Amino acid sequence: ALAFGMFIARWDANRGHGVYALLTQMVALACIFSIRPSIFVPGCLLAMLVTTHHANELGLLSHGDRVNLTMLFVIIVVSCCMKYYSTVRIARDRLLLQEQAHSDGLTGLGNVHALRQDMPRLVGGRISASVLDVDGFKLCNDRLGHAVGNTILVLLADALLESFGPRGTCYRTGGDEFVVISVDLPEREQRAL
């Protein structure tokens, strides 16, 4: 787009109309697309320098025109940077939300949504599944408080991760309920772990 803008702007300059086709291309690139500033800024600067040099040789630019073009260039660069960084921030937030939607906030294990998402790849394979429920957990929460109960859940999740490692995938499916699914792990080993 910048090369096209330069070509048209030089053609316009040769006809005595100015360099505004290049500016139109730069504004379009900055406003519509999210281009890395490290690519956009040098490309625009080079296009501006070549085009304004050509217009200067033809005597089409006054001092005021050069100042206005410089100010416009700065505004375009700032808007490109703002658009790029807002796009990056939105993408990063989207990834974070996707991750949070499939993991338990307390333990970091997968949640029910992650288990449902993983089920299709497990179908047809040889799997072992363990469902764990902490007995008397409500009584612990009532007597010692939820902070202690949360600590117990985190410790249990850490113990499950340490026990199974890469041989199993652990999920927290409810308050004190956990599921561990292993692929190609014999049932006896699954129970032992």
Side-chain angles (χ1 to χ4, degrees):
L2 286 174
F4 179 71
M6 285 174 59
F7 174 74
I8 299 298
R10 288 177 63 110
W11 184 54
D12 283 348
N14 288 336
R15 291 182 17 208
H17 296 300
V19 294
Y20 298 105
L22 172 66
L23 302 179
T24 304
Q25 297 298 326
M26 289 171 54
V27 171
L29 286 173
C31 295
I32 298 171
F33 302 107
S34 177
I35 301 173
R36 290 182 188 268
S38 59
I39 297 169
F40 180 78
V41 173
C44 279
L45 183 60
L46 179 66
M48 281 284 289
L49 291 174
V50 168
T51 307
T52 54
H53 176 70
H54 180 70
N56 273 335
E57 285 180 348
L58 297 173
L60 294 174
L61 295 180
S62 66
H63 175 71
D65 288 339
R66 278 188 238 115
V67 169
N68 289 340
L69 288 173
T70 304
M71 289 173 51
L72 182 63
F73 175 73
V74 170
I75 291 169
I76 290 170
V77 167
V78 169
S79 67
C80 173
C81 292
M82 289 171 56
K83 173 124 174 119
Y84 176 74
Y85 289 113
S86 68
T87 303
V88 167
R89 189 182 74 244
I90 289 168
R92 188 174 49 234
D93 291 347
R94 184 179 299 129
L95 286 173
L96 182 64
L97 285 173
Q98 285 176 346
E99 183 179 306
Q100 289 174 349
H102 290 88
S103 66
D104 177 56
L106 178 65
T107 62
L109 299 179
N111 61 15
V112 174
H113 301 294
L115 179 60
R116 284 189 194 129
Q117 186 177 3
D118 292 347
M119 279 300 188
R121 76 175 166 83
L122 300 172
V123 172
R126 188 166 173 232
I127 64 168
S128 299
S130 299
V131 179
L132 299 106
D133 185 358
V134 180
D135 291 334
F137 186 72
K138 183 180 178 338
L139 186 63
C140 172
N141 267 344
D142 292 343
R143 286 190 180 166
L144 302 174
H146 289 282
V148 173
N150 288 345
T151 303
I152 290 170
L153 292 174
V154 170
L155 290 172
L156 178 58
D158 291 345
L160 287 172
L161 286 172
E162 187 177 318
S163 295
F164 283 92
R167 296 186 290 179
T169 307
C170 305
Y171 305 91
R172 180 177 174 212
T173 57
D176 63 343
E177 296 152 1
F178 295 84
V179 173
V180 180
I181 296 181
S182 303
V183 178
D184 295 329
L185 187 67
E187 184 182 344
R188 182 178 296 167
E189 280 188 54
Q190 175 92 355
R191 285 185 183 170
L193 290 171

